Amino acid sequence: MISEIANGLQVPLISYAATDPTLSALQFPFFFRTTQSDLYQMAAMANLIDFYGWKEVIAIFVDDDYGRNGISALGGELDKRALKIAQKFPLPIHFDLNNITDTLNKSKLMGSRVYVVHLNPDPKMRFFTIAQKLQMMTSNYVWLATDWLSTTLDSSSSLSKTSLHILQGVVGLRQHTPESSQKRDFLSRWRKMVDEEGSASSELNTYGLSAYDTVLTVAHSIDKFIKEHRNITFSFDDGLLKMNSTKVQLSKLRVFDGGSLLRGKLLKTNFTGLTGQVQFNEDQSMVSGSYDVINIDDQIAVVGYWSNSSGFSILAPENLKSEENNNSHLDQKLKNVTWPGGSKERPRGWVIADDERPLRIGVPYRASFVDFATKLNNSHKMRGYCIDVFLEARKLVPYYVPYIFEPFGDGHSNPSYNDLVQKVEDEVFDAAVGDIAIVTNRTKIVDFSQPYATTGLVIVAPVRNSKSSAWVFLKPFTVEMWCVTAASFIMIAVVIWILEHRVNDDFRGPPKRQLVTMFLFSFSTLFKTNQEKTVSPLGRMVMVVWLFLLMVVTASYTASLTSILTVQQLSSPITGIESLVASNWPIGYQVGSFSYSYLADTQNIARSRLIPLGSPEEFARALQQGPTNGGVAAIIDELTYVELFLSKHSEFGIIGQPFTKSGWGFAFKRNSPLAIDISTAILKLSENGELQRIRERWFCKKGCPGEGNRHAEPNQLHLISFWGLYLLCGIFTIGALLAFLLRMICQFARYKQQQRESSHPSSVSSNAHCSHVISSFLNFIDEREEAIKKMFQHDNRQEQIR
């Protein structure tokens, strides 16, 4: 209100105590302040909270403009750092002990244990006296006070040890005033006034130093104004009539004619006072924004400093070098702090629950698949696989977590898991433990732990055994594989016959006999019962490579055929989710499962096609009836349930692979620290094998479900898996054949040369000569190797005789 009047009269208003951050120079151009705006103080407080890693705080403040606007500024600063005020508790302006007691008792119901207290100076320390009586000054709590506390302490001429003991562990802020000889001399004179003269009743706090600098600022500015303009004049202004809406007779007041000129003089203020550099910024507040961080134990200790340019440091802002200012945000430091209760270890800053208010955990009261989670009959105890996982994880949480399980559902049908998760968001439950799938719409309202079980949606349908077939022996190989294998047998038969025909009597004789021998030899290599033996070195080399290839192919064929004959092959007219969606068949889903919303909303399946099923017995009955007899064509459910169902119903099977990927986790309220600690515990359980042992304890007494039910149809053996072997065999075979032909050509050339030397040349046409040579070459190859050698030996002796 005074700022409005100052605007109208154009008289500068200078305050050394108004820290309200909403007092803006844009709204009040004639308002100045020689103290720090709470924008700086709340930035320092938010930085302090972030420095120690706390995520939520409780704000207690006096319910006036100073308190409300200050805490609002704190909320804005916390938002910048992804932190928040969990709850705000206002106190009346003239609060009493009952108000404090009621407020603190309400705050104890909250999870956060970090308090920011923003009050007016209180010499009796009523607030912390009540906090101590309520046992809230212990090591579980964190108390952060704005500069009202340092103002109170600095103003007291003598503090008893009892008063300081009440404040043990409190961390507060105090406006920083640099040390100087001017300040020391002034404080010395002031203490003399207090102790000897009695003209002062209390010590000076930072606001007192600011008041002194304010008087100097006004004096210097008016002095300059008078020296320049000589006199001060006032005049009437019709604009004041518009402001005359109150009982204040503003119309009788006069406007300062030199207001704007004096305002200009104030803006140029620049001198060193008791509080340091006195200079106004664009918002007409002090340029420098820095605070001492104080910690109270047996005495008031400064544990560090904060400035708006460098953050936290153990050096005073005026002692920091320029290069340290540039990098100080990367390496912020404070001295060791004593926390409430005398603890030197940083408090956690929150509690999940206590014995008076244990953690309320909602557990699905299932009617089917009760091995996962349900309530014991005639008791309030919960049991199941999911419960055991949570209890084991809780043992690894490094603090005490009292809890109570509260069943959700009536036990006659499975509850809606979406409703259970919604109860956590609505704070009906603090957490939810059970077989809760982690899906997108749920992660938007709660925080989930690390998944402790992997699952996904699968299709279950009736299956028939397709392993019996008269032509099952052809299935291990593809058509291409069969064709290449048959061609290889023929090639080996031909090549071995060529290589062995001249030297091996087993491969000679009438053409019919040779043809039969050639192919019998090749195919009998499958059984290693060859009556014929290879004699030539090239033939033996080819046989080594061929038998190696045959060994690998035969072993692979045997393994594949064994798999086909021993593993049940599942077949169904449904091939996957696409064919199921495209059909008009009814589809079953488990009551309470997220599969209903997935099918209806994501796959756009008509809701009339979706049939709710509540138990494994209903699963089996609906599948057996089929879509034409009032049943369903298939059921879509989570893999973990399906594995348990199939372990008792072998006439059904899983079609294809899971078409969604998800997991089960425990749900917590948003930003719950327990979610992180439980996730860490689940990872430890997984790493040490305890998670698997819990599963085996519940589901593997007669063999783990799923191990014998998810056999995909064995893949046929494709040519691509053996092309390297076939290529190697082909290279050796063709190489041996080329070596044989090269040797034959050389022998034939020598043979023809000896013939020309022993006979007269005959004149025949070139075509007839070519045919004659080819015919001679074939006949030459058909000759036995021994006959050729004898002929060459005979010709050599005759030549020697000549």
Side-chain angles (χ1 to χ4, degrees), residues 108-111 351-360 402 427 430 669:
K108 290 173 69 175
L109 301 177
M110 307 296 296
V351 293
I352 293 299
D354 52 34
D355 292 328
E356 296 180 2
R357 184 184 175 275
L359 197 71
R360 297 162 300 163
E427 299 187 358
D430 297 309
K669 291 187 291 187

Side-chain angles (χ1 to χ4, degrees), residues 274-296:
L274 298 181
T275 59
Q277 189 69 20
V278 180
Q279 186 178 3
F280 295 104
N281 58 19
E282 295 178 354
D283 200 37
Q284 299 175 186
S285 298
M286 288 291 95
V287 171
S288 62
S290 55
Y291 286 84
D292 299 341
V293 182
I294 63 172
N295 178 222
I296 304 169

Side-chain angles (χ1 to χ4, degrees), residues 170-243:
V170 177
V171 176
L173 296 176
R174 177 171 58 197
Q175 292 188 34
H176 176 68
T177 56
E179 293 297 326
S180 65
S181 59
Q182 180 184 0
K183 175 182 172 182
R184 286 192 294 269
D185 293 342
F186 182 84
L187 291 177
S188 177
R189 298 198 308 270
W190 186 268
R191 290 192 188 96
K192 185 177 179 180
M193 294 171 62
V194 173
D195 298 335
E196 299 178 8
E197 301 175 6
S199 56
S201 59
S202 65
E203 296 288 343
L204 273 181
N205 55 47
T206 55
Y207 290 99
L209 300 178
S210 297
Y212 184 85
D213 287 344
T214 303
V215 173
L216 282 179
T217 300
V218 173
H220 287 313
S221 299
I222 293 179
D223 184 58
K224 291 178 182 179
F225 178 84
I226 292 177
K227 286 181 179 179
E228 184 174 341
H229 301 284
R230 296 295 179 182
N231 57 2
I232 296 176
T233 61
F234 297 87
S235 61
F236 288 103
D237 187 353
D238 295 337
L240 291 177
L241 297 176
K242 299 177 181 178
M243 301 175 60

